[in-house]
Amino acid sequence: MQSLIDQAARLLAQSSRVAILTGAGMSAESGIPTFRGPQGLWRQFRPEELATPEAFARDPRLVWEWYAWRQGLVAGCHPNAGHLALARLEQHWPSVDLITQNVDGLHSRAGSTRVTELHGNLFQARCVAEGTVRDFQAGDDLPPHCSCGALLRPHIVWFGESLNSRVVEKAVAAVEECQVLLVVGTSALVTPAALLPVMARRSGAEVLEVNPQATAASELAAAAIRGPAARVLPLLVDQALALRGD
Ligand code: BV8
């Protein structure tokens, strides 16, 4: 693994424009279950069953119970050494754009400021009638309602829903302009996020991957480092910083 970290650190050190794509594996070592991991995300349900507009229309209370449970779980978790390493990368490189599929907010809590949340944020809700978005902590009164009387829904992109076009444009621009795309903790199965590494390669960027397992993005990677984010990312960033003489 060390030779791959050496190779990846050299590519990072030589680049001024870096993009990062993270998925659920980024937060695994913070204690947040991944989507397709063994322990799953909640009771006997699968995310694809609950994270859909159909599930919300059918049973808004059940869907809110799931999101309230996740809010409680995430609130008790902390950014791990991998999140902190990516925040350090942003502090020392001229241009770092972090694109995350995660809705847990841990990158911002770790200090990253240039974060694009492709799939929304667990701690925001939206009025289904007015479309207004607000910070929101679920209480006991589920499902919650807006002051206008309409239902509030999690401000999350569900399966089968389109992503915000401005958010997608920002993510595509970042991967098409970067020199290196670092892909961390994603199975690269969910589109359109899974298309970003392909776009980066097509624009001439080098792709680096950090994941204990092979994924659909591995074949695009100049270096696919088989290890956990919280262990690999600090080593990678420290080595790249040393090569830059920072
Ligand atoms: C869209 C918010 C246009 C929810 C999420 C059939 C019918 C309908 C749609 C589709 C269909 N077939 C395909 C689609 C499109 C669909 C899709 O891609 N589905 C998948 C399941 C095939 N996509 C969509 O619906 C998107 N919208 O396409 O709009 C459209 C419109 C109408 C109809 C069709 C298309 C919307 C997708 C957004 C869904 N919302 N999140 C919530 O969180 O509640 S996606 C959800 O999956 C999470 O955001 C998660 O991040 C994301 C992707 O999963 P990963 O992050 O990759 O996580 P995963 O568990 O899979 O992998 C974890 C990885 O970490 C593994 O590789 C593991 O090895 C690694 N790992 C583990 N430990 C560590 C680690 N890595 C590093 N360190 C560790 N320690």
Side-chain angles (χ1 to χ4, degrees), residues 80-152:
N80 61 56
H83 293 103
L84 296 171
L86 295 183
R88 213 159 60 241
L89 192 70
E90 179 186 306
Q91 287 158 4
H92 292 276
W93 262 254
S95 164
V96 175
D97 288 293
L98 199 163
I99 305 153
T100 187
Q101 300 171 83
N102 300 341
V103 298
D104 57 34
L106 289 185
H107 284 300
S108 301
R109 283 174 54 190
S112 291
T113 61
R114 293 165 57 94
V115 181
T116 299
E117 292 178 318
L118 288 178
H119 299 152
N121 187 295
L122 200 52
F123 298 98
Q124 289 185 316
R126 183 167 85 231
C127 171
V128 299
E130 301 165 328
T132 47
V133 179
R134 76 268 342 250
D135 291 342
F136 184 78
Q137 186 77 36
D140 298 330
D141 174 24
L142 298 177
H145 289 78
C146 175
S147 52
C148 77
L151 269 175
L152 286 178

Side-chain angles (χ1 to χ4, degrees), residues 24 29 35-36 67 70 101 119 157 160-161 186-187 191 211 229:
E29 289 151 285
F35 273 72
R36 291 159 191 85
Y67 281 97
R70 287 172 68 188
Q101 300 171 83
H119 299 152
V157 181
E161 290 188 317
T186 180
S187 57
T191 58
N211 194 319

Side-chain angles (χ1 to χ4, degrees), residues 27-82:
S27 300
E29 289 151 285
S30 294
I32 299 172
T34 62
F35 273 72
R36 291 159 191 85
Q39 72 277 48
L41 256 180
W42 192 50
R43 294 190 194 156
Q44 73 283 9
F45 294 103
R46 287 167 27 80
E48 283 80 0
E49 289 168 27
L50 286 180
T52 68
E54 294 76 17
F56 186 72
R58 188 172 53 247
D59 191 342
R61 180 183 175 82
L62 175 68
V63 171
W64 264 113
E65 283 179 351
W66 181 45
Y67 281 97
W69 172 79
R70 287 172 68 188
Q71 282 191 338
L73 175 76
V74 170
C77 295
H78 303 285
N80 61 56

